[in-house]
Amino acid sequence: MRTTAGAPAPHDRFLRRSAGPGRAPEGFATGADARGPVRVLATLGGTGPQAALLPLREDGGPSGPEEGILDAALFPGGPPHRWARLLVANPPGGEPFTVRVGGGALRLQGGGGRASADLAAAFEARRGSLSPHRLLDLRVARVPEPSVTVPPGEFVRILVAFPGEEPPGEAAGLDLPGGPRLLPREVTVESLRTALLDGRVERLAEADPPEARADRGGGR
């Protein structure tokens, strides 16, 4: 399955910070166990488009510094947002599928039903004050686009944000407008990384339940 978002990269450029030779980047956190669990919202199979709402970091780790960078770029001085990546894959042989991600298009279930922020409007308002590399990073992440069309056999990764403090993955679910329902799942870090690279949402692997991890000495 091909991507319409350019060459896949485990970390998007806006998540990187230079710290100089031999030094960890600012806000660096140790990566998670590849077999460990990450909570996501994702489809559970079936036909038609498949989707997953994934953490900002490809290892599922804390993303406070990265989210701070994004908030400072698009919502300076405003309330905090929690950011995530929406992965949508359209299987071969069907029709193009259009994902609407404009302001309020995505609504989390439970917890007050938080609606997605209007990133396209925020981008347009801040365009003149953003550096060239930040503009490029946000365009690659599809931020200026209130909707994205996914051709058959391809997939996209779209940066989205929700106001508030609660991680989007902790919601009870998410309905894509005109598309599938995403439900809570605990998947392995390894399969999350793979899905980000190849768009194969159906290959997200369920993490072992807590009791199984404890039995083999992997409890957290």
Side-chain angles (χ1 to χ4, degrees), residues 20-79:
R23 297 177 57 192
E26 177 188 353
F28 176 82
T30 303
D33 180 351
R35 296 173 298 175
V38 179
R39 184 180 165 99
V40 303
L41 302 179
T43 49
L44 299 174
T47 60
Q50 302 293 301
L53 188 68
L54 304 174
L56 191 60
R57 280 182 49 149
E58 54 94 19
D59 64 356
S63 56
E66 292 88 350
E67 291 179 294
I69 290 171
L70 292 166
D71 269 347
L74 294 181
F75 302 102

Short mmCIF file of all heavy atoms in Angstrom, two decimals, residues 20-79:
data_model
loop_
_atom_site.label_atom_id
_atom_site.label_comp_id
_atom_site.label_asym_id
_atom_site.label_seq_id
_atom_site.Cartn_x
_atom_site.Cartn_y
_atom_site.Cartn_z
N GLY A 20 23.39 18.69 19.51
CA GLY A 20 24.84 18.63 19.37
C GLY A 20 25.34 17.21 19.55
O GLY A 20 24.64 16.33 20.06
N PRO A 21 26.56 16.94 19.11
CA PRO A 21 27.13 15.59 19.16
C PRO A 21 27.17 15.05 20.58
O PRO A 21 27.58 15.73 21.51
CB PRO A 21 28.54 15.78 18.60
CG PRO A 21 28.49 17.06 17.83
CD PRO A 21 27.49 17.92 18.54
N GLY A 22 26.72 13.79 20.73
CA GLY A 22 26.84 13.10 22.00
C GLY A 22 25.86 13.53 23.06
O GLY A 22 25.96 13.09 24.21
N ARG A 23 24.92 14.42 22.71
CA ARG A 23 23.96 14.88 23.71
C ARG A 23 22.56 14.48 23.30
O ARG A 23 22.21 14.54 22.13
CB ARG A 23 24.04 16.40 23.87
CG ARG A 23 25.39 16.90 24.38
CD ARG A 23 25.40 18.42 24.44
NE ARG A 23 24.33 18.93 25.28
CZ ARG A 23 23.97 20.21 25.32
NH1 ARG A 23 24.59 21.09 24.54
NH2 ARG A 23 23.01 20.60 26.13
N ALA A 24 21.76 14.09 24.29
CA ALA A 24 20.37 13.74 24.01
C ALA A 24 19.58 14.99 23.69
O ALA A 24 19.85 16.06 24.24
CB ALA A 24 19.75 13.03 25.22
N PRO A 25 18.59 14.91 22.77
CA PRO A 25 17.77 16.08 22.48
C PRO A 25 17.01 16.55 23.71
O PRO A 25 16.73 15.77 24.63
CB PRO A 25 16.79 15.55 21.42
CG PRO A 25 17.42 14.32 20.87
CD PRO A 25 18.23 13.74 21.99
N GLU A 26 16.68 17.83 23.72
CA GLU A 26 15.88 18.39 24.80
C GLU A 26 14.56 17.64 24.89
O GLU A 26 13.90 17.39 23.88
CB GLU A 26 15.60 19.86 24.53
CG GLU A 26 14.71 20.53 25.56
CD GLU A 26 14.33 21.92 25.11
OE1 GLU A 26 14.85 22.38 24.09
OE2 GLU A 26 13.50 22.53 25.80
N GLY A 27 14.16 17.24 26.12
CA GLY A 27 12.90 16.53 26.29
C GLY A 27 12.97 15.06 25.92
O GLY A 27 11.96 14.39 25.85
N PHE A 28 14.20 14.54 25.69
CA PHE A 28 14.35 13.16 25.26
C PHE A 28 13.83 12.20 26.33
O PHE A 28 14.05 12.38 27.52
CB PHE A 28 15.82 12.84 25.00
CG PHE A 28 16.09 11.41 24.65
CD1 PHE A 28 15.90 10.95 23.36
CD2 PHE A 28 16.53 10.52 25.62
CE1 PHE A 28 16.14 9.63 23.03
CE2 PHE A 28 16.78 9.19 25.30
CZ PHE A 28 16.58 8.75 24.01
N ALA A 29 13.08 11.19 25.87
CA ALA A 29 12.60 10.14 26.77
C ALA A 29 13.01 8.80 26.19
O ALA A 29 12.98 8.60 24.98
CB ALA A 29 11.08 10.20 26.94
N THR A 30 13.40 7.87 27.05
CA THR A 30 13.81 6.56 26.60
C THR A 30 12.67 5.86 25.88
O THR A 30 11.54 5.89 26.33
CB THR A 30 14.26 5.70 27.80
OG1 THR A 30 15.31 6.39 28.47
CG2 THR A 30 14.74 4.33 27.34
N GLY A 31 12.96 5.23 24.75
CA GLY A 31 11.93 4.53 23.98
C GLY A 31 11.35 3.36 24.75
O GLY A 31 11.97 2.76 25.62
N ALA A 32 10.12 3.03 24.37
CA ALA A 32 9.41 1.95 25.05
C ALA A 32 9.84 0.59 24.51
O ALA A 32 10.39 0.48 23.41
CB ALA A 32 7.91 2.14 24.86
N ASP A 33 9.56 -0.44 25.29
CA ASP A 33 9.77 -1.82 24.87
C ASP A 33 8.94 -2.08 23.62
O ASP A 33 7.75 -1.77 23.57
CB ASP A 33 9.33 -2.74 26.01
CG ASP A 33 9.49 -4.22 25.70
OD1 ASP A 33 9.79 -4.56 24.54
OD2 ASP A 33 9.31 -5.03 26.62
N ALA A 34 9.58 -2.65 22.58
CA ALA A 34 8.88 -2.88 21.32
C ALA A 34 7.66 -3.77 21.50
O ALA A 34 6.71 -3.71 20.72
CB ALA A 34 9.83 -3.50 20.30
N ARG A 35 7.68 -4.65 22.53
CA ARG A 35 6.54 -5.54 22.77
C ARG A 35 5.55 -4.96 23.77
O ARG A 35 4.53 -5.58 24.06
CB ARG A 35 7.05 -6.89 23.29
CG ARG A 35 7.92 -7.64 22.29
CD ARG A 35 8.53 -8.87 22.93
NE ARG A 35 9.41 -8.49 24.04
CZ ARG A 35 10.01 -9.35 24.85
NH1 ARG A 35 9.82 -10.65 24.68
NH2 ARG A 35 10.79 -8.94 25.82
N GLY A 36 5.88 -3.78 24.31
CA GLY A 36 5.02 -3.16 25.30
C GLY A 36 3.74 -2.61 24.69
O GLY A 36 3.60 -2.49 23.48
N PRO A 37 2.78 -2.22 25.56
CA PRO A 37 1.48 -1.78 25.07
C PRO A 37 1.39 -0.27 24.85
O PRO A 37 2.02 0.51 25.55
CB PRO A 37 0.55 -2.20 26.22
CG PRO A 37 1.40 -2.03 27.45
CD PRO A 37 2.82 -2.37 27.03
N VAL A 38 0.64 0.12 23.85
CA VAL A 38 0.29 1.51 23.59
C VAL A 38 -1.21 1.56 23.34
O VAL A 38 -1.73 0.78 22.54
CB VAL A 38 1.04 2.09 22.37
CG1 VAL A 38 0.63 3.54 22.14
CG2 VAL A 38 2.53 1.98 22.55
N ARG A 39 -1.89 2.46 24.02
CA ARG A 39 -3.34 2.58 23.81
C ARG A 39 -3.59 3.48 22.60
O ARG A 39 -3.05 4.57 22.49
CB ARG A 39 -4.02 3.17 25.04
CG ARG A 39 -5.54 3.24 24.91
CD ARG A 39 -6.16 3.83 26.16
NE ARG A 39 -7.54 4.22 25.94
CZ ARG A 39 -8.61 3.51 26.28
NH1 ARG A 39 -8.44 2.34 26.85
NH2 ARG A 39 -9.83 3.96 26.05
N VAL A 40 -4.43 2.99 21.70
CA VAL A 40 -4.80 3.72 20.49
C VAL A 40 -6.31 3.58 20.29
O VAL A 40 -6.98 2.80 20.96
CB VAL A 40 -4.05 3.18 19.25
CG1 VAL A 40 -2.54 3.22 19.46
CG2 VAL A 40 -4.50 1.76 18.91
N LEU A 41 -6.83 4.35 19.34
CA LEU A 41 -8.18 4.13 18.83
C LEU A 41 -8.01 3.62 17.40
O LEU A 41 -7.32 4.24 16.60
CB LEU A 41 -9.00 5.42 18.84
CG LEU A 41 -9.18 6.11 20.19
CD1 LEU A 41 -9.99 7.39 20.02
CD2 LEU A 41 -9.85 5.19 21.21
N ALA A 42 -8.63 2.49 17.08
CA ALA A 42 -8.40 1.91 15.76
C ALA A 42 -9.60 1.07 15.33
O ALA A 42 -10.39 0.60 16.16
CB ALA A 42 -7.13 1.05 15.76
N THR A 43 -9.72 0.89 14.02
CA THR A 43 -10.74 0.00 13.49
C THR A 43 -10.40 -1.44 13.86
O THR A 43 -9.26 -1.77 14.16
CB THR A 43 -10.83 0.15 11.97
OG1 THR A 43 -9.50 0.08 11.40
CG2 THR A 43 -11.44 1.49 11.58
N LEU A 44 -11.42 -2.28 13.76
CA LEU A 44 -11.26 -3.67 14.16
C LEU A 44 -11.42 -4.61 12.97
O LEU A 44 -11.94 -5.71 13.10
CB LEU A 44 -12.28 -4.03 15.26
CG LEU A 44 -12.15 -3.23 16.55
CD1 LEU A 44 -13.30 -3.54 17.49
CD2 LEU A 44 -10.82 -3.52 17.22
N GLY A 45 -10.97 -4.19 11.81
CA GLY A 45 -11.09 -5.02 10.62
C GLY A 45 -12.31 -4.64 9.80
O GLY A 45 -12.84 -3.54 9.91
N GLY A 46 -12.75 -5.56 8.96
CA GLY A 46 -13.87 -5.29 8.10
C GLY A 46 -13.41 -4.78 6.74
O GLY A 46 -12.21 -4.67 6.45
N THR A 47 -14.37 -4.44 5.89
CA THR A 47 -14.05 -3.94 4.56
C THR A 47 -14.06 -2.42 4.55
O THR A 47 -14.52 -1.79 5.50
CB THR A 47 -15.07 -4.47 3.54
OG1 THR A 47 -16.39 -4.02 3.93
CG2 THR A 47 -15.05 -5.99 3.49
N GLY A 48 -13.57 -1.85 3.47
CA GLY A 48 -13.56 -0.40 3.36
C GLY A 48 -12.37 0.22 4.06
O GLY A 48 -11.46 -0.46 4.52
N PRO A 49 -12.36 1.55 4.16
CA PRO A 49 -11.22 2.25 4.77
C PRO A 49 -10.98 1.79 6.21
O PRO A 49 -11.91 1.51 6.95
CB PRO A 49 -11.65 3.71 4.72
CG PRO A 49 -12.65 3.79 3.61
CD PRO A 49 -13.38 2.48 3.65
N GLN A 50 -9.70 1.74 6.56
CA GLN A 50 -9.27 1.41 7.91
C GLN A 50 -8.53 2.62 8.48
O GLN A 50 -7.88 3.36 7.74
CB GLN A 50 -8.35 0.19 7.90
CG GLN A 50 -8.97 -1.05 7.30
CD GLN A 50 -10.12 -1.59 8.14
OE1 GLN A 50 -9.94 -1.93 9.31
NE2 GLN A 50 -11.30 -1.65 7.56
N ALA A 51 -8.62 2.81 9.80
CA ALA A 51 -8.03 4.01 10.37
C ALA A 51 -7.58 3.75 11.80
O ALA A 51 -8.05 2.82 12.47
CB ALA A 51 -9.03 5.17 10.34
N ALA A 52 -6.67 4.58 12.26
CA ALA A 52 -6.19 4.53 13.64
C ALA A 52 -5.80 5.94 14.08
O ALA A 52 -5.22 6.69 13.30
CB ALA A 52 -5.00 3.58 13.78
N LEU A 53 -6.14 6.27 15.31
CA LEU A 53 -5.68 7.52 15.94
C LEU A 53 -4.54 7.14 16.85
O LEU A 53 -4.74 6.46 17.86
CB LEU A 53 -6.83 8.17 16.71
CG LEU A 53 -6.53 9.58 17.26
CD1 LEU A 53 -6.39 10.58 16.11
CD2 LEU A 53 -7.63 10.03 18.22
N LEU A 54 -3.33 7.57 16.48
CA LEU A 54 -2.11 7.10 17.12
C LEU A 54 -1.44 8.23 17.89
O LEU A 54 -1.60 9.41 17.57
CB LEU A 54 -1.16 6.57 16.06
CG LEU A 54 -1.72 5.47 15.15
CD1 LEU A 54 -0.72 5.15 14.04
CD2 LEU A 54 -2.05 4.22 15.95
N PRO A 55 -0.65 7.88 18.91
CA PRO A 55 0.09 8.91 19.65
C PRO A 55 1.01 9.69 18.74
O PRO A 55 1.40 9.23 17.65
CB PRO A 55 0.87 8.11 20.69
CG PRO A 55 0.18 6.79 20.79
CD PRO A 55 -0.40 6.53 19.45
N LEU A 56 1.41 10.85 19.20
CA LEU A 56 2.31 11.70 18.40
C LEU A 56 3.65 11.02 18.21
O LEU A 56 4.22 11.04 17.12
CB LEU A 56 2.47 13.05 19.10
CG LEU A 56 3.15 14.17 18.31
CD1 LEU A 56 2.39 14.48 17.04
CD2 LEU A 56 3.27 15.41 19.18
N ARG A 57 4.18 10.40 19.27
CA ARG A 57 5.47 9.72 19.17
C ARG A 57 5.27 8.30 18.67
O ARG A 57 4.34 7.61 19.07
CB ARG A 57 6.17 9.69 20.53
CG ARG A 57 6.86 11.00 20.87
CD ARG A 57 7.57 10.92 22.19
NE ARG A 57 8.43 9.73 22.32
CZ ARG A 57 9.55 9.68 23.03
NH1 ARG A 57 9.96 10.76 23.67
NH2 ARG A 57 10.25 8.59 23.10
N GLU A 58 6.18 7.86 17.81
CA GLU A 58 6.03 6.53 17.22
C GLU A 58 6.34 5.39 18.18
O GLU A 58 6.09 4.24 17.85
CB GLU A 58 6.91 6.43 15.96
CG GLU A 58 8.36 6.76 16.16
CD GLU A 58 9.23 5.55 16.44
OE1 GLU A 58 8.80 4.44 16.14
OE2 GLU A 58 10.33 5.73 16.97
N ASP A 59 6.84 5.70 19.38
CA ASP A 59 7.00 4.66 20.39
C ASP A 59 5.93 4.78 21.48
O ASP A 59 5.99 4.05 22.47
CB ASP A 59 8.40 4.71 21.02
CG ASP A 59 8.66 6.00 21.78
OD1 ASP A 59 7.81 6.91 21.76
OD2 ASP A 59 9.74 6.11 22.40
N GLY A 60 4.98 5.69 21.28
CA GLY A 60 3.91 5.85 22.26
C GLY A 60 4.33 6.56 23.53
O GLY A 60 3.54 6.66 24.46
N GLY A 61 5.56 7.07 23.59
CA GLY A 61 6.06 7.70 24.80
C GLY A 61 5.51 9.09 25.03
O GLY A 61 4.76 9.64 24.20
N PRO A 62 5.84 9.70 26.17
CA PRO A 62 5.37 11.05 26.49
C PRO A 62 5.79 12.04 25.41
O PRO A 62 6.93 12.03 24.94
CB PRO A 62 6.05 11.36 27.83
CG PRO A 62 6.38 10.03 28.42
CD PRO A 62 6.68 9.13 27.26
N SER A 63 4.88 12.92 25.03
CA SER A 63 5.15 13.84 23.92
C SER A 63 4.96 15.30 24.32
O SER A 63 4.71 16.14 23.46
CB SER A 63 4.26 13.50 22.72
OG SER A 63 2.88 13.52 23.10
N GLY A 64 5.08 15.60 25.62
CA GLY A 64 4.87 16.97 26.08
C GLY A 64 5.73 18.00 25.36
O GLY A 64 5.21 19.02 24.92
N PRO A 65 7.05 17.78 25.22
CA PRO A 65 7.87 18.78 24.53
C PRO A 65 7.44 18.99 23.08
O PRO A 65 7.40 20.13 22.60
CB PRO A 65 9.28 18.18 24.62
CG PRO A 65 9.26 17.30 25.81
CD PRO A 65 7.88 16.71 25.84
N GLU A 66 7.12 17.91 22.37
CA GLU A 66 6.69 18.04 20.98
C GLU A 66 5.36 18.78 20.89
O GLU A 66 5.17 19.64 20.01
CB GLU A 66 6.57 16.66 20.33
CG GLU A 66 7.88 15.92 20.14
CD GLU A 66 8.28 15.08 21.35
OE1 GLU A 66 7.64 15.20 22.42
OE2 GLU A 66 9.23 14.31 21.23
N GLU A 67 4.45 18.46 21.80
CA GLU A 67 3.16 19.14 21.78
C GLU A 67 3.32 20.62 22.12
O GLU A 67 2.60 21.48 21.57
CB GLU A 67 2.20 18.45 22.75
CG GLU A 67 1.78 17.07 22.28
CD GLU A 67 0.85 16.37 23.26
OE1 GLU A 67 1.31 16.04 24.39
OE2 GLU A 67 -0.31 16.15 22.91
N GLY A 68 4.25 20.93 23.00
CA GLY A 68 4.53 22.32 23.31
C GLY A 68 5.02 23.10 22.09
O GLY A 68 4.64 24.26 21.88
N ILE A 69 5.87 22.46 21.27
CA ILE A 69 6.36 23.09 20.05
C ILE A 69 5.20 23.38 19.10
O ILE A 69 5.10 24.46 18.52
CB ILE A 69 7.41 22.19 19.37
CG1 ILE A 69 8.69 22.13 20.20
CG2 ILE A 69 7.71 22.66 17.95
CD1 ILE A 69 9.69 21.11 19.72
N LEU A 70 4.32 22.41 18.94
CA LEU A 70 3.19 22.57 18.03
C LEU A 70 2.21 23.63 18.54
O LEU A 70 1.70 24.45 17.76
CB LEU A 70 2.49 21.23 17.83
CG LEU A 70 3.32 20.19 17.08
CD1 LEU A 70 2.73 18.80 17.22
CD2 LEU A 70 3.42 20.56 15.60
N ASP A 71 1.92 23.62 19.84
CA ASP A 71 1.03 24.64 20.40
C ASP A 71 1.63 26.04 20.22
O ASP A 71 0.93 26.99 19.89
CB ASP A 71 0.77 24.37 21.88
CG ASP A 71 -0.46 23.51 22.12
OD1 ASP A 71 -1.26 23.33 21.18
OD2 ASP A 71 -0.65 23.03 23.25
N ALA A 72 2.95 26.16 20.45
CA ALA A 72 3.59 27.46 20.30
C ALA A 72 3.54 27.94 18.86
O ALA A 72 3.45 29.15 18.60
CB ALA A 72 5.04 27.37 20.77
N ALA A 73 3.59 27.00 17.91
CA ALA A 73 3.56 27.38 16.49
C ALA A 73 2.18 27.83 16.05
O ALA A 73 2.05 28.83 15.34
CB ALA A 73 4.03 26.20 15.64
N LEU A 74 1.14 27.12 16.48
CA LEU A 74 -0.20 27.38 15.94
C LEU A 74 -1.16 28.03 16.93
O LEU A 74 -2.13 28.66 16.51
CB LEU A 74 -0.81 26.07 15.42
CG LEU A 74 -0.11 25.44 14.22
CD1 LEU A 74 -0.82 24.18 13.78
CD2 LEU A 74 -0.03 26.42 13.06
N PHE A 75 -0.91 27.87 18.22
CA PHE A 75 -1.82 28.43 19.22
C PHE A 75 -1.05 29.17 20.32
O PHE A 75 -1.19 28.85 21.51
CB PHE A 75 -2.68 27.33 19.84
CG PHE A 75 -3.50 26.55 18.84
CD1 PHE A 75 -3.10 25.29 18.42
CD2 PHE A 75 -4.68 27.08 18.32
CE1 PHE A 75 -3.84 24.57 17.50
CE2 PHE A 75 -5.43 26.36 17.40
CZ PHE A 75 -5.02 25.11 16.99
N PRO A 76 -0.20 30.12 19.95
CA PRO A 76 0.63 30.78 20.97
C PRO A 76 -0.23 31.52 21.99
O PRO A 76 -1.15 32.26 21.62
CB PRO A 76 1.47 31.76 20.14
CG PRO A 76 0.67 32.00 18.91
CD PRO A 76 -0.02 30.70 18.61
N GLY A 77 0.06 31.26 23.27
CA GLY A 77 -0.69 31.92 24.33
C GLY A 77 -2.07 31.35 24.58
O GLY A 77 -2.78 31.81 25.48
N GLY A 78 -2.45 30.33 23.82
CA GLY A 78 -3.78 29.75 23.98
C GLY A 78 -3.78 28.56 24.93
O GLY A 78 -2.74 28.18 25.47
N PRO A 79 -4.93 27.93 25.13
CA PRO A 79 -5.00 26.75 25.98
C PRO A 79 -4.27 25.57 25.34
O PRO A 79 -4.08 25.55 24.11
CB PRO A 79 -6.51 26.47 26.07
CG PRO A 79 -7.08 27.10 24.85
CD PRO A 79 -6.24 28.31 24.57
#
